[in-house]
Amino acid sequence: MEDAILKRIINIISNKNYHSRNTTVKLKQKFENKGFIVSETYSHNAELNICVGGDGGFLRAVHRNKFPTIPFIGINTGHLGFFQEILPENIDDFITKYINKDYKVEEMTLVKAEIVTNQKSYFLTGVNEIVIKGIKSKVVHLEIFIDENHLERFSGDGIIISTPSGSTAYNFSSGGSIVYPSIESLQITPLAPINSKAFRSLLNSAIIPGDLVILVKPELRYENSLLVVNDGMEFKYNNIKRIELKMSENKIYKLNFSKDTYWNNLKSKFL
């Protein structure tokens, strides 16, 4: 038993604040005392990624390591910590449950965007959301199609395309709906839609089945006025002709130690 566990590798990914670094030291020591190897650098042979920090740190870890199939779990030393479910004072209980395999591995849906310009195509993958908005808060006019069916000519600040996991992030703050993580779908949420005699935009979010493609076409005069924001990271492309968004074929994975975690988390963070 001990010989088998000696080669089990854990990645600990931490931000640099004092509380996180202190928690990481304790976490590393406790896992090593149980016979695990805590890798000094990110190991692709590890069996678990432990993210210490807040939700921002979790998102950075996923992007930096290119959406690995190694499952994640989060230790919350930040503020909201919706992805970071374990408190530092509960580390011992977490390690015991992990060793005893008292958990389930859940899939997390990702959103993928193809940005087509005059010159080439660019690809982005998001955990929470991909946002299409105007540069310097300019109003944009977008033609939106669902599986080639025209939905609306949107006018306003922009739109959010969120995953179920991201439905509790920027989407929720902008009036979008909360979607349970296992429901394979994407959500379109308008940002400051204009609804007047001149412009008619949907005022509420729409939840789209995961197998459909969302197509966004800017009006010609706005093709250089768009900003694409992927999980908080801004990207600027010249001469955008269209943006196609859909559920990514890739997934990331997360440990869940209780079937009630999601609802308890939702209540404790927002109510």
Side-chain angles (χ1 to χ4, degrees):
M1 176 73 176
E2 288 186 356
D3 289 338
I5 203 172
L6 281 175
K7 295 183 179 180
R8 297 177 68 180
I9 302 171
I10 302 288
N11 290 323
I12 300 179
I13 308 160
S14 174
N15 63 29
K16 296 181 179 180
N17 70 44
Y18 174 78
H19 192 21
S20 296
R21 286 188 284 112
N22 190 42
T23 300
T24 296
V25 170
K26 293 178 181 177
L27 193 62
K28 182 175 185 293
Q29 184 180 50
K30 289 177 183 292
F31 266 102
E32 288 177 340
N33 287 343
K34 297 292 185 180
F36 288 82
I37 296 170
V38 177
S39 182
E40 295 296 324
T41 57
Y42 188 86
S43 172
H44 293 280
N45 295 316
E47 63 180 66
L48 180 65
N49 293 317
I50 303 176
C51 242
V52 182
D55 283 349
F58 174 86
L59 293 172
R60 286 190 295 273
V62 171
H63 281 276
R64 189 180 300 124
N65 296 295
K66 302 185 185 304
F67 305 91
T69 56
I70 302 167
F72 283 85
I73 189 66
I75 310 292
N76 184 21
T77 58
H79 297 288
L80 185 61
F82 207 89
F83 289 123
Q84 311 295 87
E85 296 173 358
I86 296 170
L87 297 175
E89 56 265 32
N90 296 331
I91 285 176
D92 288 329
D93 184 50
F94 150 60
I95 294 174
T96 299
K97 286 185 176 181
Y98 182 71
I99 291 173
N100 292 334
K101 297 187 176 181
D102 185 15
Y103 59 83
K104 290 185 178 180
V105 179
E106 293 186 343
E107 290 184 345
M108 291 177 61
T109 296
L110 307 174
V111 57
K112 177 181 178 180
E114 179 182 3
I115 299 96
V116 180
T117 71
N118 275 347
Q119 301 298 320
K120 61 182 292 188
S121 292
Y122 301 87
F123 295 90
L124 296 174
T125 301
V127 178
N128 273 348
E129 74 278 312
I130 292 176
V131 182
I132 303 167
K133 62 193 301 185
I135 293 173
K136 298 179 180 178
S137 299
K138 292 180 179 178
V139 169
V140 293
H141 301 281
L142 308 170
E143 299 288 355
I144 300 176
F145 300 79
I146 309 297
D147 256 18
E148 300 183 356
N149 297 290
H150 186 261
L151 176 65
E152 65 171 328
R153 179 180 183 269
F154 173 85
S155 299
D157 284 0
I159 59 171
I160 303 170
I161 310 295
S162 69
T163 64
S165 298
S167 69
T168 53
Y170 189 13
N171 170 77
F172 182 68
S173 300
S174 303
S177 298
I178 293 173
V179 179
Y180 194 76
S182 64
I183 298 174
E184 294 196 337
S185 62
L186 295 175
Q187 183 171 180
I188 305 173
T189 298
L191 292 171
I194 300 173
N195 202 305
S196 65
K197 287 185 177 180
F199 305 108
R200 303 290 293 176
S201 303
L202 289 175
L203 301 179
N204 302 103
S205 61
I207 297 173
I208 310 300
D211 58 345
L212 303 186
V213 176
I214 301 166
L215 174 62
V216 179
K217 291 183 178 180
E219 288 191 357
L220 288 179
R221 57 182 172 147
Y222 295 101
E223 61 185 11
N224 289 317
S225 301
L226 295 184
L227 197 63
V228 181
V229 187
N230 180 21
D231 286 339
M233 297 174 285
E234 296 184 351
F235 298 86
K236 172 72 171 66
Y237 305 96
N238 292 324
N239 303 311
I240 294 176
K241 295 304 175 189
R242 67 182 187 274
I243 302 173
E244 293 186 8
L245 302 110
K246 58 185 178 180
M247 268 180 44
S248 172
E249 57 275 13
N250 297 323
K251 306 275 188 181
I252 58 172
Y253 302 87
K254 194 164 171 288
L255 299 191
N256 185 351
F257 289 92
S258 169
K259 64 180 180 62
D260 300 320
T261 296
Y262 180 80
W263 302 112
N264 291 336
N265 219 6
L266 196 65
K267 183 176 180 179
S268 66
K269 306 303 179 187
F270 295 131
L271 298 176

